[in-house]
Amino acid sequence: MLIPLGTDRTHRRPTVVNHALVALNIAAFVAALLLERSDPELHRRVFETLMLNPEDFKAWAVVSYAFLHGGLAHILGNMVFLWVFGPNVEDRFGRIGYLLFYLIGAGVAGGAHALFYPHHPVIGASGAVAAVTGAYLVLFPHTRIKVLLMFFFIGIYEIPAWWLIGGQIAWNLFAEGLGGGRSGIAYLAHLGGYAWGITLSMILLASGALAREPYDLFSLSRQAARRRQFREVHFQQKRKAEAAAHAAQGGAPPGALAEARAEVSTRIPEDMPGAAAAYRRLLEKHGVAAGAALMSRRLQYELANHLFETGDHQTAATAYQLFLDGYPTDPELPIVRLLLGLINARYLNDPIRARSEITRALPDLPEGHRALARELLAELG
């Protein structure tokens, strides 16, 4: 069993709505407990009025059911997760937005359960809390969560949020697949909450309604898609270059490749815009593999710098990378790594690559360049 205790992410403003929701849930539980002891029949009627019962549907029940709990373990489990994950989500959504998100999440979760289990009433905040943790998975997947592990031995550890939340989603899918909804635990309500939190958060990030961060799930998925596209283009270009090299080795004249490389080299330094255009054509036709687009050390460096200065950041990144691969002992390597990190950090939105290059460059950079490296690392967080 993993019990979340806290996160390593701070928030910009005090938490209000989430703490109020926790307090309201606890107050409702205590009130129900006292009512059950003083008047069991009234307690039963109140629960029947407020619980979500598909066979006796009441509009208010799609929200009120989420403030009822069946026992101490039930409410403690829900409130611990809400207390840990809610503040950061409230911080990103804003107080009003978070309250609406939570209440609608309760309705979506309850609706998912009622749709597939129309004869099973449901109570509890589990679905709404699942919506919060689903949103957390999208917004802060790599945030470290401090957890209490209770499995053969007891200890406190830190794990990424996506491990914990992803594991919870997987467990609910597995339990529901075994018919868990008939066991008295509304696994499908949990899954409906997760789906709501994940889907809404991705839509808000994709539309720009919610500011993106370098390490949210939407940005990471875009970066992964770009890397896949680049690898595919690189593979296709490599095949073309290998075919050209094979033809050259078989006695065929280098032809187009040699002419394309000559067109680039003869324009440097007198016609740098023309050289850049020729270099882009060289990359398009012959790719980056087998040295096809690697010029001499001086030409490659000047060309990459020109591409960077004129704002062609994608081609500049390719040219700098070819410089790194082709001249691995060059004294300018730290500067090249810094520039490649800067491009990935500020223009290509690949913070993981940016951090890697800047960190590798930092120890060997001249003092004048270290300030820029530290500034970029601070921007990356």
Side-chain angles (χ1 to χ4, degrees), residues 237 256-268 270-288 292-295 299-300 303-304 306-307 310 312 315 318-319 322:
Q237 292 174 340
L257 176 58
E259 291 176 4
R261 288 174 56 83
E263 184 182 5
V264 177
S265 61
T266 54
R267 292 176 181 270
I268 301 174
E270 289 80 8
D271 181 15
M272 291 303 293
Y279 191 70
R280 284 189 285 269
R281 290 193 294 271
L282 172 63
L283 285 171
E284 180 180 351
K285 293 180 179 179
H286 302 286
V288 298
L294 179 63
M295 314 303 293
L299 297 184
Q300 189 73 22
L303 187 60
H306 174 77
L307 290 164
T310 54
D312 188 352
T315 311
T318 301
L322 287 172

Side-chain angles (χ1 to χ4, degrees), residues 207-246:
S207 66
L210 199 61
R212 299 172 194 162
E213 294 185 354
Y215 296 103
D216 62 50
L217 198 60
F218 180 81
S219 298
L220 290 173
S221 64
R222 289 187 65 188
Q223 293 158 19
R226 280 197 294 269
R227 286 193 290 270
R228 285 195 300 271
Q229 292 171 356
F230 180 79
R231 285 195 297 269
E232 180 62 25
V233 171
H234 177 79
F235 176 75
Q236 296 298 334
Q237 292 174 340
K238 181 178 179 180
R239 292 290 298 273
K240 291 179 182 178
E242 288 174 347
H246 179 72

Side-chain angles (χ1 to χ4, degrees), residues 354-371:
R355 178 179 290 279
S356 173
E357 295 295 349
I358 296 167
T359 303
R360 292 180 66 182
L362 186 58
D364 301 315
L365 284 172
E367 187 57 39
H369 292 80
R370 291 186 182 181

Side-chain angles (χ1 to χ4, degrees), residues 42-255:
L42 179 58
H43 173 270
R44 182 187 62 80
R45 292 201 304 270
V46 168
F47 256 58
E48 288 178 352
T49 302
L50 298 180
M51 72 170 54
L52 180 58
N53 185 355
E55 294 182 324
D56 183 22
F57 179 76
K58 307 173 189 69
W60 62 80
V62 297
V63 172
S64 61
Y65 87 96
F67 294 92
L68 305 177
H69 289 85
L72 185 60
H74 191 195
I75 189 169
L76 280 179
N78 284 335
M79 293 305 102
V80 165
F81 273 79
L82 187 59
W83 182 267
V84 170
F85 293 107
N88 291 143
V89 180
E90 178 184 334
D91 194 43
R92 289 297 305 276
F93 280 7
R95 289 167 181 162
I96 301 300
Y98 177 69
L99 178 61
L100 292 173
F101 165 77
Y102 181 91
L103 296 177
I104 295 173
V108 170
H113 174 84
L115 183 63
F116 290 92
Y117 296 99
H119 306 298
H120 295 261
V122 63
I123 60 172
S126 303
V129 174
V132 173
T133 56
Y136 202 98
L137 176 64
V138 172
L139 299 174
F140 319 108
H142 291 300
T143 297
R144 308 291 292 182
I145 308 298
K146 184 182 293 185
V147 297
L148 173 62
L149 174 64
M150 301 177 67
F151 186 73
F152 294 120
F153 54 90
I154 299 175
I156 296 177
Y157 302 90
E158 286 191 352
I159 62 174
W162 71 269
W163 284 20
L164 178 61
I165 300 172
Q168 291 286 328
I169 295 173
W171 165 249
N172 278 271
L173 285 169
F174 176 75
E176 179 59 31
L178 294 179
R182 298 177 180 85
S183 67
I185 299 177
Y187 292 111
L188 202 61
H190 305 171
L191 294 171
Y194 288 128
W196 164 251
I198 291 170
T199 303
L200 180 67
S201 299
M202 291 292 280
I203 291 173
L204 292 175
L205 291 171
S207 66
L210 199 61
R212 299 172 194 162
E213 294 185 354
Y215 296 103
D216 62 50
L217 198 60
F218 180 81
S219 298
L220 290 173
S221 64
R222 289 187 65 188
Q223 293 158 19
R226 280 197 294 269
R227 286 193 290 270
R228 285 195 300 271
Q229 292 171 356
F230 180 79
R231 285 195 297 269
E232 180 62 25
V233 171
H234 177 79
F235 176 75
Q236 296 298 334
Q237 292 174 340
K238 181 178 179 180
R239 292 290 298 273
K240 291 179 182 178
E242 288 174 347
H246 179 72
Q249 291 170 359

